[in-house]
Amino acid sequence: MKPAPVLLGLSLAANAALFVTIGRHPRIVPPAFRDFFARPFGATEVAAAPVAAKPPTSAAKTPLWSTVPANDLNALVARLRALGFPPSIVRAIVGAEVAARYNSRLRELTSPDPNTPYWRTSPYATFDSARMAEYTRLQTERSRLLRDLFKDPFFTADDVSPAQRRRFGNLPSQKIDMLQRIEDDYSEMISAARGATNGIMLPEDREKLALLARERHADLAGVLTPEELADYELRSSPLTTMLARELGNFDANEAEFRAIFQAHQAYSDKFPGGGGVISFQDRGAAAQELQAQLKSALGDQRYADYQRETDRDYQQLSRLAERANLPAATAASAFDVRYAVAAQTQQIADDASLDADQKRAALQLLAQNTRTQLTALLGPTVGPMFVNTSNRWLNQVERGMAVSFNGPPSMTMTTAGPDGSMVTASFGTGVTYRPVARPTPPTPAPSPRQ
């Protein structure tokens, strides 16, 4: 055993600690050595030339904010520009100042009453029509203020933001500014008209909103060419927002999306006021026409993809498969099994060589085999979950029903646009059932003679 290296290391560490301590607290050193440790280590013996002291200033630098009159945002813009800040920085600073002036009031309008017990109303129940109107007014006022502050050509040299390009397309910044001003004006008027209804929409209220919608359209048409107006209405329509949300993973190109939009717009136009009174037969006929138009526009294969991707059951299956690391093609194959099964149920129901009992037995066996097939295809985790979802129609097949997935869409939704207009859209695939021939009841035996 050789302790010498260990002792040497401990000694060096102790010395280093001692030097650090002395460097920080030189007064603990005896007077004879105090000058040595007070001198910076590594310093030369030559004294450095004294640094000339800066002449004292008569006044400290003036802060930027003190040079701008209170509440004068135009003066703030001018001051920042005079200091040489680029447009993007001026926008950011002034935008933050404007937000600070509005955010507290906006939060106050959207916050629930803290004195209301949690079990009586939801946090959003207190957001009544009057508060909604005030909220919209403040938002509109803030947007108009920002545009007035940045109306100078100095700011129009900025590139159009990605959000504006997405909303307005390839319009120049000058037209975008005019459109935003028009939308602000009508947003305020529409908000006031809706707030005056106090939650009850009478026919005269609908007519007032319809008049505002027509006037808004006329003002937009005065700024845009017919092609620009059609493109802007496509981008800003509430139907576009609804379609973008419900298309799921259907990767439509622009031409396909425009075709889908036009088909749904034609469907929506058949509903008075966006979902008014319409008979069941007329609703079914409109839905069938919608599906026929979509199939014609997209083609057989893309229409099949569209049907699958907009179906809620498939969207759930797709998420389950993704979590289980199953290929997307596997989920699609499992979902498409139902179309093959539906065709087989129709063949069994129409098979004249089978009596009613044989048809029922064949349908029962088909349903059981389908459950086994789906479980084997999707695995022990996802398979049973999807089988449980599919039991809604498999149970009907097992009871002796022929099934079809070409019925009216299973979901119909209506939403309101910012101008008060209503749009209706339908998604998903409807399921219809057809019972096989019922068995002939047995002939009762004759009663014995008395």
Side-chain angles (χ1 to χ4, degrees), residues 5 9 13 51 150 229 247 331 424 440:
V51 179
F150 302 138
L229 179 60
L247 284 181
T424 300
T440 304

Side-chain angles (χ1 to χ4, degrees), residues 307 311 338-339 341-342 393 403-407 429-433:
Q307 280 190 308
D311 190 282
R338 66 182 193 167
Y339 294 108
V341 172
W393 58 273
V403 65
S404 173
F405 294 99
N406 295 318
T429 304
V431 186
T432 57
Y433 301 100

